[in-house]
């Protein structure tokens, strides 16, 4: 396999990390050591020293990667293109996000009409010198008088909500802290909005938010009145008996109801309650100062047996998207006056997954299906579900559908592997919908005709067919000579659909890389059954699927093991960690971003308890035995065949990742270096094992453009060196 030593004649000199052999846990009679538990304390001097030494090691390795600076230079040039999101409406104004090219963060613009002069409403780049303050939540009031927006620092999930008066762009004194996993939903009188938050930590004033690892508990729903202190906010819903539950709220489009969604964990199921705000004699103001009295929510669905998502309502008659007895989703209707009588509006499709539905043009609904990992749009009758028109698109992903129910114009965002982005307008005034390109994103120097995309279906270990997209330059020889990058996720009902990645286009053009996306089980590509087939006791299916996809790329002549790199983030980082343990011989390089690596303790940190719906939990004996079999941290072994070694590996994490906290990657890094590289004089691991620890960044959201470019240059420069990919001008 390609390696630093083979290519450069050098061996990495690994720092020695202290092992505390006294830390041993007894799981149902199985003794499990955890010698690097001290790395769970991010603030300790020992951990800071470990991170500093690992950073120096990584820098020394990256300096030998010749393609790194070329990637950085070319990616900076290629990334410098205008980026747009689809417009959305509030009041009589239009709003949209735009990045001129290399701005750290996208900017929110406003205009009076589609051909009117745009003006900057909110520029997050003015909020910090280094671009690490990002916009994470926002909502314009219905009358377009106010903008409530949440800002995050250093990539943390913690958000602080501020309010802007749109007319003069003045910032109101309102400041809402310790907000996390929250939407913002204004009442139609524009007096205030609903949001969710956690209690402030005891040491909140001293805390560097995003570096703590404490469990997030007691998510509560509040209503904030403009011009008041956060301490006066109305507590609308709390459930002390279920501290791990999370919730969100939204005001219906008619402004009459507020809907409360409650989630037990990450499973696609929720309870749904409603409150008729017009029935409150004195409105929400009557609840001010009454800490012990919650809003009078009515329990429409009070079990966690299915997902319910609001689409539209006509007074008491509500339409929801649900997976109730429909793993590929359907539309249903219920009258709040007869809550036990539900009827189907649009039945579950026999093959395709109903991903979303948006009510438009009064009596119509745009439905978005996922058909073999490609989106298909239809216009249907909202009352009957009858098909009115198919809305033609190329093969790819619908990234946005933006419209209000009263609007006749729908904005549709679209992208694909070779399409940077197109925003369409769909005019529903005519009998035949009129679809036109409103704005097309162009990347200077990118020629899509040089590349081709294939979708193949690979037989997994149990013969289940797994979809995989393969993107390569046209006309490549199938002689196993090409570097190959295989990406996967496989969890939490998340679908990996075609997207434009400028960094991967660059390495395909200049490093001859074939890049691939395996739609393994655990995702949502074929609905809830596909998700469940890769979770809990069946998690091994994810790894088998990914390994089968890699074997296909080798057997079909695209690449060979020493030139094959695998990549994934978060749950996908777990995927990479498990696969290099199970098949170290199959890969030449591995890039694992912010991965869940300690499967026995993940539930103890921040929001990790919510992931037990996909993984299980070591607090239960049966589930412990599932987890210990594949947990990356607990399955690092020297290959018994001395001609085999682990692939060159980069573990990537960030100091403010409060989703998958850095300790996962740090503990695995120390373990891999010890077991494979330093535990004896007879180690034959010459492929480097390194960690890249980003400063002032989190799980990935809100990362400024320069950090994105630098990270891509580092990881793909490392990959190029390890798989011996040559630069092509």
């Amino acid at each position: 396999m390609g390696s630093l030593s083979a290519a450069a004649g050098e061996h990495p000199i690994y720092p020695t990390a202290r092992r505390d052999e006294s830390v041993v846990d007894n799981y149902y009679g199985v003794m499990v050591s955890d010698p690097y538990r001290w790395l769970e304390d991010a603030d300790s001097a020992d951990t800071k020293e470990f991170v500093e030494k690992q950073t120096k090691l990584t820098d020394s390795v990256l300096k030998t990667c010749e393609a790194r600076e070329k990637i950085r230079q070319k990616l900076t040039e290629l990334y410098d293109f205008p980026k747009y999101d689809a417009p959305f409406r509030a009041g009589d104004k239009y709003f949209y996000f735009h990045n001129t090219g290399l701005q750290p963060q996208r900017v929110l613009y406003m205009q009076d009409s589609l051909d009117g002069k745009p003006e900057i409403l909110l520029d997050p780049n003015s909020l910090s010198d280094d671009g690490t303050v990002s916009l994470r939540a926002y909502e314009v009031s219905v009358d377009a008088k106010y903008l409530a927006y949440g800002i995050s620092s250093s990539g943390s999930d913690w958000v602080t909500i501020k309010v802007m008066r749109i007319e003069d762009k003045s910032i109101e004194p309102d400041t809402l802290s310790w907000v996390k996993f929250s939407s913002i939903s204004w009442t139609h009188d524009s007096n205030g909005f609903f949001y969710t938050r956690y209690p402030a930590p005891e040491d909140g004033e001293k805390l560097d938010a995003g570096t703590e690892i404490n469990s997030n508990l007691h998510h509560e729903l509040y209503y904030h009145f403009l011009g008041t202190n956060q301490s006066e906010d109305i507590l609308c819903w709390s459930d002390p008996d279920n501290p791990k539950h999370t919730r969100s709220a939204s005001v219906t489009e008619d402004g009459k109801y507020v809907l409360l969604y409650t989630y037990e964990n990450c499973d696609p199921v929720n309870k749904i309650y409603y409150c008729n705000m017009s029935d409150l004699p004195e409105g929400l103001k009557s609840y001010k100062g009454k800490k012990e009295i919650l809003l009078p929510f009515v329990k429409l669905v009070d079990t966690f047996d299915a997902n319910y998502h609001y689409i539209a309502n006509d007074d008491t008659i509500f339409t929801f998207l649900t997976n109730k007895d429909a793993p590929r989703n359907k539309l249903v209707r219920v009258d709040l006056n007869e809550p036990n009588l539900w009827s189907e509006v649009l039945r579950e499709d026999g093959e395709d997954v109903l991903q979303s539905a948006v009510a438009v043009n009064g009596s119509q609904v745009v439905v978005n299906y996922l058909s073999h990992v490609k989106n298909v749009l239809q216009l249907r009758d909202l009352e009957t579900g009858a098909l009115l028109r198919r809305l033609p698109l190329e093969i790819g992903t619908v990234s946005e559908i933006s419209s209000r129910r009263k609007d006749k114009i729908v904005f549709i965002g679209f992208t694909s592997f070779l399409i940077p982005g197109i925003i369409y307008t769909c005019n529903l005034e005519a009998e035949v919908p009129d679809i036109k390109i409103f704005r097309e994103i162009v990347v200077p120097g990118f020629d899509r005709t040089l590349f081709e995309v294939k979708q193949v279906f690979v037989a997994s270990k149990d013969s289940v067919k797994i979809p995989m997209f393969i993107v390569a330059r046209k006309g490549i020889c199938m002689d196993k000579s090409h570097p190959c990058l295989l990406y996967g996720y496989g969890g939490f009902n998340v679908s990996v659909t075609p997207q434009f990645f400028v960094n991967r286009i660059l390495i395909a053009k200049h490093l001859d890389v074939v890049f691939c996306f395996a739609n393994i089980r655990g995702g949502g590509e074929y609905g809830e059954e596909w998700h469940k087939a890769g979770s809990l006791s069946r998690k091994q299916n994810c790894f088998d699927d990914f390994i089968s996809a890699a074997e296909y790329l080798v057997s079909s002549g695209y690449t060979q093991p020493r030139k094959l790199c695998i990549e994934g983030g978060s749950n996908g980082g777990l995927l990479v960690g498990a696969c290099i343990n199970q098949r170290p011989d199959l890969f030449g390089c591995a890039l694992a971003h912010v991965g869940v690596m300690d499967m026995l303790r993940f539930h103890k940190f921040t929001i990790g308890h919510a992931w037990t719906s996909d993984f299980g939990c070591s607090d239960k004996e049966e589930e412990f035995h599932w987890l210990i079999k594949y947990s990356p941290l607990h399955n690092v072994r020297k290959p018994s065949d001395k001609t085999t070694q682990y692939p060159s590996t980069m573990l990537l994490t960030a100091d403010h990742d409060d989703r998958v906290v850095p300790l996962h990657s740090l503990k695995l890094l120390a373990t891999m270096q010890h077991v494979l590289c330093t535990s004896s004089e007879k180690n034959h691991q010459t492929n480097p094992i390194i960690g890249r620890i980003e400063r002032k960044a989190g799980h990935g959201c809100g990362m400024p453009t320069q950090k994105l470019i630098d990270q891509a240059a580092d990881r793909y420069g490392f990959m190029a060196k390890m798989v011996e990919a040559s630069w092509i001008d």
Side-chain angles (χ1 to χ4, degrees):
M1 293 186 182
S3 69
L4 185 71
S5 57
E10 301 174 1
H11 290 269
I13 300 175
Y14 295 99
T16 301
R18 172 173 61 86
R19 290 175 60 84
D20 185 350
E21 304 291 356
S22 68
V23 182
V24 180
D25 294 315
N26 185 340
Y27 290 94
Y28 319 102
V30 179
M31 308 306 290
V32 179
S33 63
D34 193 4
Y36 300 112
R37 186 167 296 175
W38 54 271
L39 283 168
E40 294 180 2
D41 182 0
D43 295 324
S44 74
D46 284 352
T47 300
K48 290 178 179 178
E49 181 184 11
F50 176 85
V51 169
E52 183 179 352
K53 288 181 177 179
Q54 293 296 335
T55 299
K56 289 180 179 178
L57 169 65
T58 299
D59 288 346
S60 70
V61 172
L62 291 177
K63 285 177 181 176
T64 71
C65 301
E66 298 87 354
R68 179 190 181 202
E69 290 308 316
K70 292 181 179 179
I71 293 172
R72 192 191 321 276
Q73 178 187 344
K74 284 290 185 182
L75 189 55
T76 301
E77 295 172 5
L78 198 58
Y79 214 93
D80 192 7
F81 65 93
K83 306 163 188 70
Y84 293 89
D85 287 357
F88 62 93
R89 298 199 68 183
D92 57 358
K93 297 184 182 298
Y94 293 85
F95 302 84
Y96 66 93
F97 286 96
H98 170 48
N99 187 315
T100 57
L102 294 175
Q103 290 176 285
Q105 304 287 344
R106 61 183 188 166
V107 177
L108 179 59
Y109 287 78
M110 175 180 68
Q111 54 191 152
D112 292 331
S113 64
L114 290 179
D115 54 3
K117 182 181 178 180
E119 56 180 302
I120 293 175
L121 181 62
L122 178 63
D123 182 0
N125 301 299
S126 66
L127 303 178
S128 66
D129 294 331
D130 57 5
T132 57
V133 172
S134 62
L135 187 63
R136 290 288 289 273
Y138 61 92
E139 183 75 11
V140 178
S141 62
V142 173
D143 56 10
K145 288 185 177 180
Y146 296 99
L147 166 70
Y149 61 96
I151 54 175
S152 164
S153 297
S154 301
S156 168
D157 281 333
W158 289 116
V159 165
T160 299
I161 296 178
K162 302 286 289 181
V163 178
M164 174 189 288
R165 185 187 300 271
I166 290 177
E167 183 178 16
D168 58 6
K169 302 185 181 65
S170 61
I171 307 301
E172 301 291 308
D174 308 58
T175 300
L176 311 184
S177 304
W178 302 111
V179 178
K180 186 183 275 196
F181 311 131
S182 178
S183 56
I184 299 170
S185 191
W186 288 87
T187 47
H188 283 206
D189 56 13
S190 296
N191 285 334
F193 51 84
F194 294 96
Y195 71 101
T196 48
R197 58 164 292 186
Y198 287 100
E202 290 182 8
D203 54 350
E205 292 184 3
K206 301 178 182 178
L207 189 66
D208 182 3
T211 62
E212 76 288 347
I213 63 174
N214 313 74
S215 282
N216 299 141
L217 300 173
H218 300 291
H219 205 225
E220 297 173 325
L221 174 66
Y222 284 86
Y223 183 84
H224 174 73
F225 280 99
L226 288 187
T228 64
N229 191 281
Q230 186 177 15
S231 62
E232 301 175 50
D233 289 354
I234 297 171
L235 176 60
C236 301
W237 193 259
S238 179
D239 185 3
D241 293 336
N242 293 287
K244 295 180 180 179
H245 289 181
T246 57
R247 46 194 48 85
S248 65
S250 64
V251 175
T252 54
E253 199 158 0
D254 62 2
K256 187 175 180 180
Y257 299 90
V258 57
L259 302 178
L260 171 64
Y261 300 86
T262 300
Y263 306 91
E264 187 175 26
N265 42 46
C266 286
D267 251 357
V269 298
N270 61 274
K271 297 180 179 182
I272 188 161
Y273 302 169
Y274 67 89
C275 174
N276 186 341
M277 292 183 289
S278 64
D279 285 347
L280 305 179
E282 299 177 39
L284 291 168
K285 289 184 178 180
S286 62
Y287 287 84
K288 291 188 72 171
K290 298 179 179 179
K291 297 291 185 184
E292 304 302 320
I293 303 177
L294 304 178
L295 288 191
F297 281 100
V298 178
K299 298 177 180 180
L300 180 60
V301 177
D302 197 31
T303 57
F304 291 116
D305 67 342
N307 177 55
Y308 295 88
H309 178 73
Y310 167 79
I311 303 300
N313 72 293
D314 292 296
D315 197 16
T316 62
I317 299 175
F318 277 67
T319 302
F320 291 97
L321 186 151
T322 183
N323 59 9
K324 174 71 171 174
D325 302 321
R328 288 178 298 281
N329 300 331
K330 62 184 179 181
L331 296 183
V332 295
R333 181 169 294 127
V334 64
D335 188 333
L336 300 184
N337 295 320
E338 298 181 277
N340 295 319
L341 295 178
W342 294 72
S343 60
E344 282 191 356
V345 177
L346 177 58
R347 66 172 52 183
E348 178 189 28
D349 189 82
E351 191 171 73
D352 298 341
V353 180
L354 178 59
Q355 283 197 312
S356 63
V358 178
V360 298
N361 198 24
S363 61
Q364 298 173 340
V365 60
V366 175
V367 294
N368 181 20
Y369 282 100
L370 191 63
S371 177
H372 296 293
V373 206
K374 302 173 286 286
N375 281 132
V376 176
L377 285 185
Q378 299 173 353
L379 182 66
R380 289 182 174 268
D381 185 276
L382 179 59
E383 183 177 355
T384 67
L387 177 64
L388 302 176
R389 294 285 175 183
R390 302 182 192 277
L391 304 179
L393 294 173
E394 293 192 57
I395 292 174
T397 298
V398 173
S399 55
E400 300 172 88
I401 303 174
S402 174
S403 184
R404 299 172 295 188
R405 185 175 177 183
K406 65 183 180 181
D407 293 336
K408 298 182 183 300
I409 301 292
V410 182
F411 296 96
I412 299 166
F414 179 83
T415 185
S416 191
F417 293 117
L418 303 181
I419 299 175
I422 299 175
I423 299 169
Y424 295 97
T425 57
C426 179
N427 190 333
L428 301 175
E429 285 190 287
E431 183 177 343
V432 178
D434 183 20
I435 299 179
K436 294 180 179 179
I437 293 178
F438 170 68
R439 184 172 278 145
E440 185 166 7
I441 297 170
V442 177
V443 180
F446 168 62
D447 183 357
R448 63 180 291 192
T449 65
L450 299 178
F451 303 91
E452 61 183 356
V453 180
K454 293 181 180 178
Q455 187 182 33
V456 298
F457 293 84
V458 178
S460 189
K461 184 176 181 179
D462 58 0
S463 300
V464 171
K465 295 291 187 179
I466 308 301
M468 177 167 63
F469 288 104
I470 302 173
V471 185
R473 291 183 300 107
K474 282 184 178 176
I476 63 170
C477 296
M478 306 291 278
D479 58 1
K480 298 191 175 185
S481 66
H482 307 284
C484 193
L485 178 66
L486 174 61
Y487 179 91
Y489 186 78
F492 297 95
N493 200 40
V494 173
S495 300
V496 179
T497 58
Q499 304 277 342
F500 184 81
F501 300 98
V502 67
N503 50 22
R504 288 169 183 147
I505 288 294
L506 182 144
I507 62 175
K509 179 179 179 180
H510 291 288
L511 293 172
D512 192 31
V513 171
V514 177
F515 64 91
C516 313
F517 294 81
N519 298 109
I520 61 178
R521 283 172 283 185
E525 287 86 349
Y526 290 98
E528 185 57 10
E529 292 173 347
W530 192 256
H531 168 216
K532 291 301 185 188
S535 63
L536 299 174
S537 64
R538 296 188 281 180
K539 188 65 180 175
Q540 182 61 38
N541 283 337
C542 302
F543 316 135
D544 291 341
D545 292 353
F546 201 58
I547 288 167
S548 296
E551 290 174 332
Y552 172 89
L553 293 169
V554 173
S555 64
S556 297
Y558 285 99
T559 193
Q560 53 188 293
R562 70 181 184 88
K563 286 187 167 291
L564 176 56
C565 177
I566 54 174
E567 183 174 23
S570 196
N571 175 77
L574 158 63
L575 172 71
V576 170
C579 286
I580 61 175
N581 280 336
Q582 295 183 16
R583 286 295 305 276
D585 60 302
L586 187 56
F587 315 110
C589 186
L591 306 172
H593 302 246
V594 293
V596 187
M597 303 304 192
D598 185 345
M599 300 309 297
L600 302 187
R601 289 175 60 79
F602 71 86
H603 60 288
K604 297 178 180 292
F605 311 115
T606 63
I607 197 61
H609 55 76
W611 312 334
T612 57
S613 54
D614 246 54
F615 299 144
C617 180
S618 62
D619 290 345
K620 298 179 180 179
E621 183 173 2
E622 180 186 10
E623 297 175 8
F624 160 76
H625 288 290
W626 304 341
L627 295 164
I628 193 66
K629 290 179 181 177
Y630 70 80
S631 175
L633 180 63
H634 301 93
N635 286 279
V636 179
R637 308 278 189 274
K638 284 185 182 179
S640 56
D641 178 1
K642 293 186 178 181
T643 64
T644 299
Q645 59 175 310
Y646 268 61
S648 302
T649 300
M650 177 186 283
L651 305 180
L652 299 95
T653 186
D655 61 355
H656 283 72
D657 187 350
D658 47 359
R659 188 89 55 88
V660 181
V661 289
L663 65 89
H664 285 275
S665 294
L666 300 184
K667 289 170 69 174
L668 180 60
L669 182 62
T671 300
M672 291 182 70
Q673 289 178 350
H674 172 75
V675 172
L676 303 175
C677 307
T678 65
S679 58
S680 74
E681 295 181 359
K682 297 181 179 180
N683 292 307
H684 55 274
Q685 177 74 28
T686 58
N687 291 336
I689 308 295
I690 61 174
R692 187 185 188 280
I693 302 142
E694 185 69 71
R695 307 277 184 177
K696 295 191 74 176
H699 198 59
C701 292
M703 187 177 287
T705 298
Q706 190 58 57
K707 282 186 180 290
L708 290 172
I709 291 172
D710 290 343
Q711 187 199 74
D714 286 356
R715 72 182 195 265
Y716 291 141
F718 176 76
M719 178 198 73
K721 180 81 170 183
M722 301 308 138
V723 303
E724 299 177 8
S726 300
W727 184 266
I728 306 167
D729 283 320

